[in-house]
Amino acid sequence: DQQVKQNSPSLSVQEGRISILNCDYTNSMFDYFLWYKKYPAEGPTFLISISSIKDKNEDGRFTVFLNKSAKHLSLHIVPSQPGDSAVYFCAASEVGLTFGQGTILTVHP
Amino acid sequence: GAVVSQHPSRVICKSGTSVKIECRSLDFQATTMFWYRQFPKQSLMLMATSNEGSKATYEQGVEKDKFLINHASLTLSTLTVTSAHPEDSSFYICSARDFGRSSGRGEQYFGPGTRLTVT
């Protein structure tokens, strides 16, 4: 049973445009959410997080939105850059982290 | 950010042997570390929570006798894959929380991972 889902396996975006990555969860006990970026054969790198008491958190080009009633969060990257191309995982925290399946983002020059 | 290292980065072993993977927090103390496993083209799966000075907490379906975890100090946790088999081949990643630096309880810093291949 997948408690955290990223339904889009891949996303392709033009440089300078907005990238929107989506994530849904089912466990209402999750109260902290995070986005990680990962390159092949490397560990994930933390990007941005949000507590369940907030609905938005912004850090530079990255903004995470949380809709608790819909159990949905999204990561917005604007403007997108070719260096952003990687696999993006959303994760939810109860004790350890539960990860989504990941979305491969490709930003074309 | 905080730095977590893993050693070795890659290991190839024969079936039936045991392999030890080390996870170290280099510039902070971690009372809790986590071990994850990632199969090709799949998400990371939490295997166990490693607690300094006490027994690890394993997730459902993870064999504690096969994946031995020892959190010997505030900066070191080890994962030993005992009697390894080809199906244990995977990418193993550890993480640690830096409570002194993290802005929230869920933020974790990950090691670079260890690729295990069992032949």
Side-chain angles (χ1 to χ4, degrees), chain A residues 31 36 94-95 97 99-100, chain B residues 36 38 43 97 105 108 110 112:
Chain A
D31 62 354
Y36 285 87
E94 191 175 1
V95 178
L97 294 177
F99 283 84
Chain B
Y36 296 84
Q38 183 180 28
S43 183
R97 284 201 196 117
R105 74 171 185 88
Q108 295 181 18
F110 285 82

Side-chain angles (χ1 to χ4, degrees), chain A residues 55-107:
Chain A
D55 55 19
K56 177 183 175 181
N57 188 26
E58 192 172 353
D59 183 4
R61 296 187 297 116
F62 301 93
T63 303
V64 56
F65 295 92
L66 175 63
N67 183 333
K68 279 182 60 181
S69 60
K71 293 191 175 68
H72 176 84
L73 67 154
S74 61
L75 174 68
H76 292 209
I77 306 173
V78 56
S80 301
Q81 300 172 354
D84 296 329
S85 298
V87 180
Y88 288 78
F89 289 96
C90 69
S93 175
E94 191 175 1
V95 178
L97 294 177
T98 301
F99 283 84
Q101 308 94 310
T103 297
I104 301 171
L105 173 65
T106 304
V107 181

Side-chain angles (χ1 to χ4, degrees), chain A residues 25-43:
Chain A
Y25 63 96
T26 58
N27 187 346
S28 57
M29 296 300 291
F30 292 140
D31 62 354
Y32 202 80
F33 304 89
L34 309 93
W35 283 93
Y36 285 87
K37 178 180 179 179
K38 187 179 183 299
Y39 295 108
E42 292 184 13

Side-chain angles (χ1 to χ4, degrees), chain B residues 19-38:
Chain B
V19 174
K20 179 185 284 188
I21 303 170
E22 292 185 349
C23 176
R24 293 181 185 273
S25 56
L26 297 185
D27 55 354
F28 67 99
Q29 293 183 329
T31 55
T32 303
M33 291 184 173
F34 302 89
W35 286 95
Y36 296 84
R37 181 175 179 177
Q38 183 180 28

